[in-house]
Amino acid sequence: VLVLRQGSTAFLISATSRVIRQLTNPHLSGLPRMYVGKGTVDVKVGQTLGRPVADGAAAVAAIGSARLPGGARLVADTAADGLYVEIGGRGFQVRLGDAGDLRLKLAIARRILQETGAATGSGYLDVSVPERPVLNPKSQVAG
């Protein structure tokens, strides 16, 4: 269901978080990508990976059903143990937090993005706490 990227190395990952094989040409795949830092996850073919990869696989399945706009890709921040989705080429993020309540978080995000059109620019939508979504349609630069 996804391509796991760790530096310049790429692996094909199943929905059960099992490493199927290493990919020599990952750019040829249209699957969503999950990025993890070097040394944060020990990846071996045949191995079943734990969190955050398992969360990432679940998120990919949920994202596929949510039909978010414009070329969404999944990113995992293993240091903060959080997930987010980048939409389009302008860096707009949907911040999901942990993998809990993913379908609810994505349904809320889809509704907000449809009503505001915010994903066409930069910024973020944080639905990590589904009861209190936060939309920042433009990234703020500290000055």
Side-chain angles (χ1 to χ4, degrees):
V1 295
L2 65 89
V3 173
L4 178 71
R5 294 297 307 255
Q6 189 172 43
S8 62
T9 309
F11 299 90
L12 183 62
I13 308 296
S14 75
T16 60
S17 302
R18 189 172 149 274
V19 182
I20 297 171
R21 65 183 169 95
Q22 186 169 347
L23 299 174
T24 55
N25 294 312
H27 61 279
L28 298 177
S29 172
L31 291 173
R33 271 116 174 99
M34 180 174 180
Y35 297 84
V36 294
K38 279 190 169 186
T40 58
V41 178
D42 187 27
V43 183
K44 293 181 181 149
V45 174
Q47 165 187 21
T48 299
L49 301 170
R51 292 184 74 198
V53 179
D55 292 347
V60 167
I63 290 164
S65 66
R67 294 185 179 95
L68 292 175
R73 73 177 185 142
L74 175 74
V75 178
D77 178 353
T78 55
D81 201 16
L83 299 168
Y84 66 90
V85 177
E86 288 183 355
I87 298 176
R90 298 186 183 187
F92 188 87
Q93 294 179 357
V94 177
R95 298 176 182 175
L96 303 168
D98 64 25
D101 295 324
L102 273 177
R103 293 200 186 280
L104 174 62
K105 292 173 185 177
L106 289 165
I108 291 168
R110 183 178 60 240
R111 178 85 182 260
I112 291 170
L113 294 176
Q114 286 173 345
E115 291 187 13
T116 65
T120 59
S122 62
Y124 67 87
L125 171 60
D126 188 332
V127 292
S128 59
V129 180
E131 300 82 15
R132 293 188 309 266
V134 176
L135 175 63
N136 181 353
K138 189 174 185 181
S139 295
Q140 296 178 353
V141 177

